[in-house]
Amino acid sequence: MLEHRISDWDDAYANGSNIARGDRWPEAWVKPAEAFRNALLSAGRAKLDLAYGDRPRNRMDLFLPDGSPKGLVVFVHGGYWLQLDKSFWSHLAAGAVERGYAVAMPSYTLCPKIRIAGIVEEVAAAISEASKRVEGPLMLTGHSAGGHLVSRMITTTAPLSPDVQGRIRNVVSISGVHDLRPIMSTAMNEKLAIDEAEALSQSPALLRPMPDARITCWVGGGERAEFLRQNALLANIWTGLAATTAAVAEPDRHHFNVVDGLADAKHPLVRTLLLGV
């Protein structure tokens, strides 16, 4: 019989220190993101720093395909709700853009200036604003904390209008944190300030999915055990609540390079997001 118990929660959710040369990230994303952004801007296919709210970080970038978009993808960044912004991830729009979809990438206010519940409201506002600019089906994807945020958008208590939520065709949560309760045991919670009430109201795994919800939980096979568990957790629970779910552990990927597939139009991650288009 194997027994499991976590005694060091900080280590359980520490990514960089548990990945060989993990200190390369997030800096490793900066140049490819900038190059992609500049290329599309030069081609007249990028709209940068579009406002979706009143706060300084309520801005999003919109990347457009060559021709009329087939629909819209929204990518929500990670960083444990504490770090980073939209500028690190622009190149990850490449796969969907090449497939003919527009891609919106918002920033959002970071903790501790806001609670996670407030970030959820901001992400919903960004999705709503982007959906006004691009017609057609809507696909959501996000990494780590972003995986939590996009999963939250297809719960029955999501702060989205029925019209916008009804357009959501698919969600891919990449290395998502779907149950916030373990994060309460980490040192980072001094800034996040998650309490039991917020964990219960903002954890997708503890909420009901919207009718006809479809989600793929995608994780790197080489990630921390907690991310593998969190990945399987949501797919497992929501299967029992009538959602269409899948759980994928991509071999030879860790927490930082698991998102790379989004930059490749032929990668299974992009095909899954766009439902095989």
Side-chain angles (χ1 to χ4, degrees), residues 31 53 74 96 103 153 174 200 219 221 224 233 250 253:
K31 287 186 177 180
V74 179
V103 178
M153 294 300 113
I174 306 170
L200 293 175
V219 72
R224 306 295 289 151
L233 176 69
E250 185 178 359
R253 294 287 178 174

Side-chain angles (χ1 to χ4, degrees), residues 21-237:
R21 297 184 62 208
D23 58 353
R24 288 178 291 163
W25 289 275
E27 186 65 26
W29 291 317
V30 172
K31 287 186 177 180
E34 183 178 27
F36 178 84
R37 199 164 53 245
N38 288 341
L40 262 68
L41 193 61
S42 296
R45 291 165 46 201
K47 299 180 179 181
L48 306 182
D49 293 320
L50 301 171
Y52 68 82
D54 297 329
R55 294 191 175 203
R57 290 176 60 94
N58 291 168
R59 300 291 182 269
M60 64 181 174
D61 295 340
L62 182 64
F63 302 109
L64 300 169
D66 187 11
S68 298
K70 297 176 181 177
L72 172 66
V73 171
V74 179
F75 173 88
V76 181
H77 74 80
Y80 276 130
W81 311 274
L82 292 165
Q83 298 174 314
L84 307 179
D85 60 47
K86 59 185 173 61
S87 68
F88 288 85
W89 318 88
S90 306
H91 59 297
L92 300 183
V97 166
E98 185 176 335
R99 290 278 186 172
Y101 288 81
V103 178
M105 292 190 170
S107 293
Y108 48 82
T109 306
L110 300 174
C111 297
K113 290 184 177 180
I114 195 171
R115 298 290 294 264
I116 286 178
I119 297 176
V120 168
E121 295 280 350
E122 290 192 353
V123 168
I127 293 169
S128 298
E129 177 61 29
S131 70
K132 295 175 185 177
R133 296 174 178 270
V134 180
E135 297 180 347
L138 177 58
M139 281 67 64
L140 308 179
T141 187
H143 176 239
S144 197
H148 158 265
L149 292 165
V150 295
S151 302
R152 179 73 178 84
M153 294 300 113
I154 56 169
T155 64
T156 56
T157 58
L160 286 173
S161 71
D163 287 345
V164 173
Q165 203 173 46
R167 284 176 57 184
I168 299 174
R169 185 170 74 181
N170 194 28
V171 172
V172 176
S173 174
I174 306 170
S175 305
V177 180
H178 304 125
D179 182 355
L180 298 179
R181 291 174 297 179
I183 305 300
M184 294 168 60
S185 298
T186 66
M188 75 179 95
N189 202 46
E190 293 179 11
K191 293 183 178 180
L192 296 173
I194 303 168
D195 56 24
E196 188 74 11
E198 186 168 51
L200 293 175
S201 67
Q202 302 301 327
S203 295
L206 306 180
L207 302 172
R208 285 191 169 272
M210 70 180 196
D212 300 319
R214 177 185 292 271
I215 189 166
T216 296
C217 300
W218 193 289
V219 72
E223 296 209 42
R224 306 295 289 151
E226 268 297 272
F227 283 91
L228 292 166
R229 186 186 68 81
Q230 289 262 8
N231 195 69
L233 176 69
L234 185 64
N236 186 308
I237 291 175

Side-chain angles (χ1 to χ4, degrees), residues 18 196 234 267 270 276:
N18 286 294
E196 188 74 11
L234 185 64
H267 193 278
V270 173

Side-chain angles (χ1 to χ4, degrees), residues 3-13 182 185 225-226 229:
E3 295 183 330
H4 301 275
R5 184 178 185 276
I6 296 172
S7 58
D8 187 342
W9 289 99
D10 290 317
D11 182 66
Y13 282 90
S185 298
E226 268 297 272
R229 186 186 68 81

